[in-house]
Each structure stands twice: as C-alpha cells, then as structure tokens.
Amino acid sequence: MLEVNPGLIVWTIVSFILLLFVLKRVAWKPILEALQSREESIRIALDHAEEARVKTEKILEEQKSIIHDANEKTIKLINEGRAVAEQTKSEIIVQAHQSAKTMLETAREQIVREKEAALSQIRNEVAKLAILTTEKMIDEVLDDKRRQQLIDTSMNKLPTN
Amino acid sequence: MAFFNKQSVPQDINAVTDTLQSTSHEGGSKEVFVHLFEHLQDGEVLEIPLGHINLPQFPPVTLLGITFDFSITKHIFFLLLASLLLIVTLLIVSRKNRKSKVPSGFGNLVEVLVIFIRDEIVLPNMGRSGLKYLDYLLTTFLFILTMNLLGMIPYGASPTGNISVTAGLAIIAFFMIQFSAIRAQGVGHYLAHLTGGVQWWLWPIMIPIEIIGLVTKPFALCIRLYANMTGGHLVILSLIGLIFIFHTYLVAPISVAFVVAIDLLELFVAVLQAYVFTMLTSLFMGFGIQAGEHTSHKTETEKH
C-alpha cells in the first residue's frame, strides 16, 4: 500500500500543471477580476452612501436651524407685539385717566362757578328783600339808584364766599 | 450468502461476499481484510454498477533508471475526472458570473471559497505579494477537495488516498515553496539562508540539515493527506467487514449506523484536509516571502 508508483506521480504532476494553466485562463482570472470589480463597485457605492448620509445630515441640521430661527423670530415678534400692546394699553389708560381728570376738573370748576353765580344771585335776592323790608320799616321808598348803591355796599361788606 | 442478489449490491460488498464464499469454509476472516485493502488500492479496473471496465494499459517505460508505468489506473481515472469536473464547473461558473453582476447559487459558493482562500489563507500567511500565487493555491484547494469528495460517492475512489498522488502534489508544493522563496529573496539570499547564518566551517553540517528541513515540510503534507484519506475509508470498510466476519445480519444496523457517522466525519475531513494542505503550503511559501521582504527591507535601510 505504501509503494510509490512513479508513473502515477508523473500523471498527478502533469494533470495538476495542466489544470492550473487551464483554470488560470478560464476560471481564476475572470472570477477574480469580477470579484475585484464588484468589491470596487461596492466600495464606491458605500462611499457614495456615506457621502449622501453626510449631506442629508447637513441638510437636516440646516433645516433644524431654520426651524429654530423661525421659532425664535416668532417668539420675538409675539413678544414685541405684546410689548407694543402693553404700551398702548397703558397709554390709553393714562390718557383716559387724564381726560377723566380734566373732565372732573372742568365739572368741578363749573360747579364752583354755578355755585358762585347762584350764591351771588341769592345774595342779590336776599339783599333786595332786605332792602324792601327795610323800606317798609323806614317807610321810605328808595329810588333804584340808591337801592343799588345799598346792595353793592352791603355786598362788598359780606365775606366773598 | 445466497440472500445477496449479486447484481444489485455494490461492488465492494460483492468483493467481500466473494471472499467470504471462498474463505468461509477455511474460516479465515483475515482474507476479508485483504480484499478490503485491495478495494482501497489502485487497480486496473474501474468498478461500475453491474460490472467493471478494464482501463487501458501501457507497457512500462524506463527512463533514467526509473520505471514509469503510465497505464491508466482507477486513481488516475478519478484524478482526470476531478480535473475535468473542475474545469467544466468553473468554466460554467465564470461564464455565469460574468453575465450577472451578483453571483447566485453555485457561482456564489465558488466565490465564497475563492474569497476564503484569498482572505483567510493567502493574505494572512503571505501578505499582498502572495496574491501572485493565489491561482496555484486555489487550484490546489479545489483539486484536492474534488478528489477527496470523489471517494465519498459510491463506486468512486479518492486519488488522494494514494501516496503517489499526494507525493505528486507535495512535489509541486515543494517546488512552489522554493520558487516563491527564490523569487522573493533572490538566489543569493536563498542560498545564504541554507547555511543557517553560521560560521563557514559548520556549513557541512548546517546545509544538509536545512535541506532536510525543506524536504520535510512537503513530505509531511504528502503523508498527512494520504493517511487521512486512507484512514477514513479503511474505517468504513472495516465496519462493513464486521457484518461478514460475524456472519450475522444483527451486526448490520450497528455497522451501518457507524458507517453513516464516519461518512459524515469523512465529509468534514475531506474539506478539512484540502484546507490544511492549502493552508500549510501557503504558510511555508509565506516564510520564504516574508524572509525575502525582510532582507530587501534590510538592504534598503542599509542604503539609506
């Protein structure tokens, strides 16, 4: 079983070498080339995918910042609007206060004026009555000129209020 | 043994029953094993279902004092069959792979093997410069694998179960190892390595030792592959032989169960040994290539 057959060794070597050359031509070269080109294309595809991923991420980031900016702007606008409204409101309130105050003032003045007018009228009437009463008592009729003189003097003697 | 219909049982069993018929009255179970060994051995006939074919025989040729018998034997037939199978299948695969960008089915399997040899054997052991020898290692792997697997099919035989075939493969491996070493290192460095770097008066001892070292590696490859492939078949035939030695069919289920188990193991060993042969060849070539890269690197640094 362990005897070596030189013919068989030669057969083996010859067929192996022939096989090697045939396979090199028909199989290994095309298979390895196809393999290499595929690996290359896969590598390129992966690179592209990576590039696309990076790009997408960048775009996403940009979009995010845009949304963020818009949000900020909106908030700012709202805040500004609110501030303006607040200011307007307080202005309106102040104005309203002011006008109310002036109206009150004029009303008060008018009242004072009316009161004064009424008072002086009352005084006149009272004086007139007093003079009439006095005329009756002294039984003397005073002329109009004299009567007015009396009223004015008594009036001037009265306290102004 | 009249239960056996001689026409329907495989030839190896036939051989065994013949033996049993001729030897049972002598009671020699030894004879059974002699015939089993004959089945493992090379022969001038090719066993086929329902008979056998006589293979062409040529007269031996004596060349340089060595007698070469180039007669086609069973193992040579299977050796050539393996080559043919490989060429045809790989031709189909490469045609198919060229057509479509993505390989499928069998083409995918071949590609997986190619990638395995390239990425797991050649690149780690030999580096990028080893890719020059990828063709050789791929051929070695698939040739040995096919030959190993041919022994697994009925009526088949493993040419790798013949020491002459493994010797032939080992001789090619030897030359490839030396060739790659010389190519990487240059003849001068290669011969210098043979001296082992010792002083000149030790050379007469060192050079034969180094040469023995070079020869041992392929010799081990040869014996390893041969022994592994023969061993498995021997175990299977012995288990079947048990049925005839015990002269009872009660042993048959046990024997068959064991044979199936060993067959599965054999299938694994067939792939493993093809891998081991290729891996070790690539490793031995890698030693020479790396030594070459080392020396060329050294001379480069010396120049600077």
Side-chain angles (χ1 to χ4, degrees):
Chain A
M1 239 175 144
L2 275 168
E3 76 241 38
V4 175
N5 177 356
L8 192 40
I9 294 179
V10 173
W11 267 112
T12 310
I13 294 172
V14 168
S15 50
F16 182 87
I17 290 169
L18 282 178
L19 183 70
L20 177 61
F21 280 105
V22 171
L23 286 186
K24 198 171 178 166
R25 277 193 79 95
V26 305
W28 303 141
K29 222 177 147 211
I31 286 175
L32 286 170
E33 270 169 9
L35 201 66
Q36 219 147 26
S37 73
R38 184 141 37 81
E39 276 170 347
E40 187 68 14
S41 72
I42 288 171
R43 205 179 53 73
I44 288 169
L46 280 177
D47 282 354
H48 277 306
E50 178 63 25
E51 255 171 50
R53 198 183 62 81
V54 168
K55 221 183 245 173
T56 319
E57 237 161 53
K58 222 173 105 191
I59 289 169
L60 203 72
E61 205 64 29
E62 274 171 14
Q63 233 116 10
K64 255 187 197 165
S65 77
I66 286 170
I67 290 171
H68 187 76
D69 283 357
N71 267 346
E72 223 149 69
K73 229 177 238 174
T74 317
I75 289 169
K76 216 172 119 191
L77 273 177
I78 289 171
N79 282 346
E80 268 175 15
R82 197 172 281 158
V84 167
E86 203 74 37
Q87 210 186 340
T88 320
K89 184 182 136 197
S90 54
E91 266 170 24
I92 286 170
I93 288 171
V94 164
Q95 235 167 21
H97 273 291
Q98 208 114 37
S99 66
K101 220 169 154 187
T102 31
M103 272 164 84
L104 214 65
E105 212 97 314
T106 28
R108 201 171 278 154
E109 266 169 32
Q110 205 151 359
I111 286 166
V112 167
R113 249 202 323 275
E114 295 287 324
K115 189 180 130 195
E116 228 144 82
L119 275 177
S120 64
Q121 221 168 342
I122 287 167
R123 261 185 222 121
N124 273 340
E125 286 301 315
V126 168
K128 238 181 233 171
L129 280 175
I131 286 166
L132 282 175
T133 331
T134 323
E135 269 175 4
K136 273 198 184 135
M137 272 163 61
I138 59 174
D139 221 11
E140 190 189 349
V141 176
L142 297 174
D143 60 350
D144 276 355
K145 203 182 164 194
R146 179 73 183 142
R147 206 181 284 166
Q148 195 60 48
Q149 206 181 340
L150 274 172
I151 290 167
D152 283 344
T153 34
S154 64
M155 274 303 201
N156 284 340
K157 268 178 210 157
L158 278 172
T160 42
N161 216 353
Chain B
M1 291 298 128
F3 320 103
F4 276 110
N5 180 356
K6 252 196 158 187
Q7 305 246 299
S8 67
V9 286
Q11 199 70 33
D12 51 334
I13 309 270
N14 248 346
V16 177
T17 47
D18 286 349
T19 323
L20 247 96
Q21 274 168 346
S22 60
T23 57
S24 57
H25 47 90
E26 292 157 25
S29 55
K30 244 187 201 170
E31 291 288 315
V32 176
F33 281 98
V34 170
H35 276 254
L36 284 176
F37 287 136
E38 272 174 9
H39 170 77
L40 279 178
Q41 275 178 323
D42 211 356
E44 289 166 7
V45 291
L46 184 65
E47 292 156 349
I48 55 159
L50 313 181
H52 58 81
I53 294 173
N54 284 311
L55 293 163
Q57 301 297 308
F58 308 119
V61 184
T62 308
L63 215 78
L64 304 164
I66 309 167
T67 309
F68 292 99
D69 185 2
F70 291 118
S71 305
I72 308 285
T73 61
K74 189 171 73 178
H75 284 159
I76 293 173
F77 172 81
F78 279 104
L79 186 91
L80 297 174
L81 182 68
S83 314
L84 206 66
L85 269 175
L86 269 182
I87 290 170
V88 171
T89 43
L90 289 174
L91 194 65
I92 292 167
V93 162
S94 70
R95 284 267 162 84
K96 225 178 95 190
N97 279 12
R98 206 179 303 163
K99 263 187 223 152
S100 67
K101 224 176 169 186
V102 180
S104 58
F106 194 70
N108 215 346
L109 175 70
V110 171
E111 263 212 21
V112 166
L113 289 176
V114 169
I115 292 171
F116 175 72
I117 303 284
R118 191 191 62 182
D119 293 352
E120 304 298 326
I121 295 181
V122 173
L123 288 178
N125 288 329
M126 301 158 83
R128 290 209 70 78
S129 52
L131 291 177
K132 288 194 285 272
Y133 307 105
L134 186 57
D135 291 338
Y136 161 68
L137 290 164
L138 280 169
T139 311
T140 304
F141 179 74
L142 285 181
F143 191 39
I144 293 174
L145 182 64
T146 315
M147 288 195 288
N148 289 353
L149 291 175
L150 279 176
M152 298 297 299
I153 52 174
Y155 297 102
S158 285
T160 41
N162 186 315
I163 199 161
S164 304
V165 173
T166 58
L169 293 170
I171 288 167
I172 295 166
F174 174 79
F175 281 112
M176 285 309 289
I177 292 164
Q178 309 320 317
F179 174 72
S180 63
I182 291 170
R183 197 167 162 190
Q185 301 170 17
V187 185
H189 279 288
Y190 172 76
L191 291 175
H193 262 284
L194 282 183
T195 63
V198 294
Q199 295 205 316
W200 65 269
W201 51 270
L202 277 171
W203 288 5
I205 308 167
M206 208 57 204
I207 291 171
I209 291 175
E210 286 286 339
I211 288 173
I212 288 168
L214 292 179
V215 174
T216 320
K217 291 168 189 166
F219 183 74
L221 287 178
C222 160
I223 298 297
R224 182 182 299 109
L225 184 57
Y226 159 71
N228 270 289
M229 293 325 292
T230 308
H233 290 291
L234 207 62
V235 171
I236 289 169
L237 289 172
S238 305
L239 284 167
I240 293 172
L242 283 179
I243 304 171
F244 303 101
I245 290 163
F246 285 113
H247 279 277
T248 166
Y249 285 111
L250 292 175
V251 189
I254 303 164
S255 278
V256 169
F258 271 97
V259 165
V260 170
I262 299 290
D263 259 333
L264 293 175
L265 185 70
E266 271 289 272
L267 212 56
F268 170 68
V269 168
V271 180
L272 182 75
Q273 287 308 316
Y275 164 72
V276 166
F277 194 102
T278 314
M279 208 276 283
L280 287 177
T281 308
S282 135
L283 189 71
F284 297 149
M285 286 169 84
F287 288 155
I289 289 170
Q290 271 152 21
E293 276 164 3
H294 186 65
T295 46
S296 65
H297 184 69
K298 215 157 73 180
T299 45
E300 259 171 43
T301 44
E302 275 164 9
K303 266 182 218 160
H304 285 302

